[in-house]
């Protein structure tokens, strides 16, 4: 089976709802995922996700 490439769902704290749908995720589910990791959307630099709803998160660098 051909793996669909992941898409970027959150870029620099901004949510892409179309990408979220592509990943078969709801905003609720995304928020729960973030809560479980103790994260808020504004702290995320990049969040990618594939159609199997596997999420990869890159946090923003903390500015000193």
């Amino acid at each position: 089976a051909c793996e669909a490439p992941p898409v970027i769902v959150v870029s620099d704290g901004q949510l892409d709802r179309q990408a979220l749908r592509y990943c078969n995720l709801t905003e609720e589910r995304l928020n729960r995922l973030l809560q479980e990791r103790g994260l808020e959307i504004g702290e995320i630099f990049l969040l990618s996700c594939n159609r199997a709803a596997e999420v990869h998160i890159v946090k923003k660098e903390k500015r000193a």
Side-chain angles (χ1 to χ4, degrees), residues 8-16 44-47 60:
I8 293 169
V9 177
V10 178
S11 176
D12 206 12
Q14 298 298 305
L15 177 63
D16 181 337
I44 294 170
F45 177 64
L46 211 61
L47 185 151
K60 288 182 183 180

PDB file of all heavy atoms in Angstrom, residues 8-16 44-47 60:
ATOM      1  N   ILE A   8       0.998  19.240   6.958  1.00  0.00           N
ATOM      2  CA  ILE A   8       1.217  20.130   8.091  1.00  0.00           C
ATOM      3  C   ILE A   8      -0.133  20.641   8.580  1.00  0.00           C
ATOM      4  O   ILE A   8      -0.889  21.243   7.828  1.00  0.00           O
ATOM      5  CB  ILE A   8       2.170  21.274   7.698  1.00  0.00           C
ATOM      6  CG1 ILE A   8       3.553  20.675   7.430  1.00  0.00           C
ATOM      7  CG2 ILE A   8       2.224  22.325   8.805  1.00  0.00           C
ATOM      8  CD1 ILE A   8       4.521  21.618   6.791  1.00  0.00           C
ATOM      9  N   VAL A   9      -0.422  20.341   9.838  1.00  0.00           N
ATOM     10  CA  VAL A   9      -1.702  20.703  10.438  1.00  0.00           C
ATOM     11  C   VAL A   9      -1.568  22.005  11.228  1.00  0.00           C
ATOM     12  O   VAL A   9      -2.454  22.846  11.208  1.00  0.00           O
ATOM     13  CB  VAL A   9      -2.211  19.572  11.361  1.00  0.00           C
ATOM     14  CG1 VAL A   9      -3.512  19.965  12.045  1.00  0.00           C
ATOM     15  CG2 VAL A   9      -2.403  18.290  10.559  1.00  0.00           C
ATOM     16  N   VAL A  10      -0.434  22.163  11.921  1.00  0.00           N
ATOM     17  CA  VAL A  10      -0.178  23.398  12.653  1.00  0.00           C
ATOM     18  C   VAL A  10       1.180  23.917  12.216  1.00  0.00           C
ATOM     19  O   VAL A  10       2.170  23.183  12.232  1.00  0.00           O
ATOM     20  CB  VAL A  10      -0.181  23.185  14.185  1.00  0.00           C
ATOM     21  CG1 VAL A  10       0.133  24.496  14.912  1.00  0.00           C
ATOM     22  CG2 VAL A  10      -1.514  22.626  14.652  1.00  0.00           C
ATOM     23  N   SER A  11       1.205  25.169  11.796  1.00  0.00           N
ATOM     24  CA  SER A  11       2.462  25.810  11.425  1.00  0.00           C
ATOM     25  C   SER A  11       2.571  27.097  12.219  1.00  0.00           C
ATOM     26  O   SER A  11       1.709  27.974  12.102  1.00  0.00           O
ATOM     27  CB  SER A  11       2.463  26.117   9.928  1.00  0.00           C
ATOM     28  OG  SER A  11       3.634  26.821   9.585  1.00  0.00           O
ATOM     29  N   ASP A  12       3.597  27.187  13.045  1.00  0.00           N
ATOM     30  CA  ASP A  12       3.838  28.368  13.870  1.00  0.00           C
ATOM     31  C   ASP A  12       2.592  28.777  14.652  1.00  0.00           C
ATOM     32  O   ASP A  12       2.207  29.940  14.665  1.00  0.00           O
ATOM     33  CB  ASP A  12       4.338  29.510  12.979  1.00  0.00           C
ATOM     34  CG  ASP A  12       5.194  30.505  13.760  1.00  0.00           C
ATOM     35  OD1 ASP A  12       5.567  30.184  14.911  1.00  0.00           O
ATOM     36  OD2 ASP A  12       5.478  31.582  13.229  1.00  0.00           O
ATOM     37  N   GLY A  13       1.944  27.780  15.266  1.00  0.00           N
ATOM     38  CA  GLY A  13       0.797  28.055  16.124  1.00  0.00           C
ATOM     39  C   GLY A  13      -0.528  28.236  15.388  1.00  0.00           C
ATOM     40  O   GLY A  13      -1.550  28.428  16.021  1.00  0.00           O
ATOM     41  N   GLN A  14      -0.498  28.167  14.045  1.00  0.00           N
ATOM     42  CA  GLN A  14      -1.718  28.376  13.254  1.00  0.00           C
ATOM     43  C   GLN A  14      -2.264  27.039  12.772  1.00  0.00           C
ATOM     44  O   GLN A  14      -1.544  26.264  12.136  1.00  0.00           O
ATOM     45  CB  GLN A  14      -1.422  29.273  12.043  1.00  0.00           C
ATOM     46  CG  GLN A  14      -0.934  30.662  12.402  1.00  0.00           C
ATOM     47  CD  GLN A  14      -1.952  31.454  13.200  1.00  0.00           C
ATOM     48  OE1 GLN A  14      -3.100  31.621  12.789  1.00  0.00           O
ATOM     49  NE2 GLN A  14      -1.535  31.929  14.362  1.00  0.00           N
ATOM     50  N   LEU A  15      -3.541  26.795  13.043  1.00  0.00           N
ATOM     51  CA  LEU A  15      -4.186  25.550  12.675  1.00  0.00           C
ATOM     52  C   LEU A  15      -4.720  25.608  11.240  1.00  0.00           C
ATOM     53  O   LEU A  15      -5.349  26.587  10.855  1.00  0.00           O
ATOM     54  CB  LEU A  15      -5.353  25.287  13.642  1.00  0.00           C
ATOM     55  CG  LEU A  15      -6.211  24.061  13.370  1.00  0.00           C
ATOM     56  CD1 LEU A  15      -5.398  22.788  13.494  1.00  0.00           C
ATOM     57  CD2 LEU A  15      -7.397  24.033  14.309  1.00  0.00           C
ATOM     58  N   ASP A  16      -4.455  24.559  10.487  1.00  0.00           N
ATOM     59  CA  ASP A  16      -5.007  24.413   9.135  1.00  0.00           C
ATOM     60  C   ASP A  16      -6.131  23.380   9.211  1.00  0.00           C
ATOM     61  O   ASP A  16      -5.876  22.185   9.302  1.00  0.00           O
ATOM     62  CB  ASP A  16      -3.900  23.955   8.182  1.00  0.00           C
ATOM     63  CG  ASP A  16      -4.394  23.796   6.750  1.00  0.00           C
ATOM     64  OD1 ASP A  16      -5.608  23.610   6.540  1.00  0.00           O
ATOM     65  OD2 ASP A  16      -3.547  23.820   5.843  1.00  0.00           O
ATOM     66  N   ILE A  44       3.401  25.361  19.454  1.00  0.00           N
ATOM     67  CA  ILE A  44       3.812  24.423  18.420  1.00  0.00           C
ATOM     68  C   ILE A  44       4.359  25.149  17.207  1.00  0.00           C
ATOM     69  O   ILE A  44       3.724  26.045  16.660  1.00  0.00           O
ATOM     70  CB  ILE A  44       2.634  23.513  18.029  1.00  0.00           C
ATOM     71  CG1 ILE A  44       2.273  22.643  19.228  1.00  0.00           C
ATOM     72  CG2 ILE A  44       2.974  22.666  16.809  1.00  0.00           C
ATOM     73  CD1 ILE A  44       1.000  21.891  19.064  1.00  0.00           C
ATOM     74  N   PHE A  45       5.550  24.749  16.811  1.00  0.00           N
ATOM     75  CA  PHE A  45       6.163  25.292  15.606  1.00  0.00           C
ATOM     76  C   PHE A  45       5.611  24.550  14.397  1.00  0.00           C
ATOM     77  O   PHE A  45       5.191  25.152  13.414  1.00  0.00           O
ATOM     78  CB  PHE A  45       7.684  25.146  15.682  1.00  0.00           C
ATOM     79  CG  PHE A  45       8.378  25.617  14.431  1.00  0.00           C
ATOM     80  CD1 PHE A  45       8.303  26.955  14.056  1.00  0.00           C
ATOM     81  CD2 PHE A  45       9.085  24.741  13.641  1.00  0.00           C
ATOM     82  CE1 PHE A  45       8.926  27.385  12.894  1.00  0.00           C
ATOM     83  CE2 PHE A  45       9.714  25.171  12.485  1.00  0.00           C
ATOM     84  CZ  PHE A  45       9.635  26.499  12.110  1.00  0.00           C
ATOM     85  N   LEU A  46       5.594  23.220  14.502  1.00  0.00           N
ATOM     86  CA  LEU A  46       5.129  22.403  13.392  1.00  0.00           C
ATOM     87  C   LEU A  46       4.459  21.151  13.933  1.00  0.00           C
ATOM     88  O   LEU A  46       5.009  20.487  14.809  1.00  0.00           O
ATOM     89  CB  LEU A  46       6.345  21.991  12.558  1.00  0.00           C
ATOM     90  CG  LEU A  46       6.146  21.785  11.071  1.00  0.00           C
ATOM     91  CD1 LEU A  46       5.675  23.071  10.405  1.00  0.00           C
ATOM     92  CD2 LEU A  46       7.437  21.336  10.456  1.00  0.00           C
ATOM     93  N   LEU A  47       3.280  20.856  13.415  1.00  0.00           N
ATOM     94  CA  LEU A  47       2.620  19.614  13.752  1.00  0.00           C
ATOM     95  C   LEU A  47       2.175  18.997  12.437  1.00  0.00           C
ATOM     96  O   LEU A  47       1.413  19.597  11.690  1.00  0.00           O
ATOM     97  CB  LEU A  47       1.410  19.867  14.666  1.00  0.00           C
ATOM     98  CG  LEU A  47       0.699  18.606  15.203  1.00  0.00           C
ATOM     99  CD1 LEU A  47       0.071  18.895  16.552  1.00  0.00           C
ATOM    100  CD2 LEU A  47      -0.339  18.070  14.250  1.00  0.00           C
ATOM    101  N   LYS A  60       8.062  25.013  19.471  1.00  0.00           N
ATOM    102  CA  LYS A  60       8.821  26.243  19.225  1.00  0.00           C
ATOM    103  C   LYS A  60       9.986  26.290  20.194  1.00  0.00           C
ATOM    104  O   LYS A  60       9.876  25.815  21.325  1.00  0.00           O
ATOM    105  CB  LYS A  60       7.940  27.476  19.464  1.00  0.00           C
ATOM    106  CG  LYS A  60       6.887  27.681  18.400  1.00  0.00           C
ATOM    107  CD  LYS A  60       6.110  28.955  18.702  1.00  0.00           C
ATOM    108  CE  LYS A  60       4.998  29.153  17.689  1.00  0.00           C
ATOM    109  NZ  LYS A  60       4.229  30.372  17.962  1.00  0.00           N
TER     110      LYS A  60
END
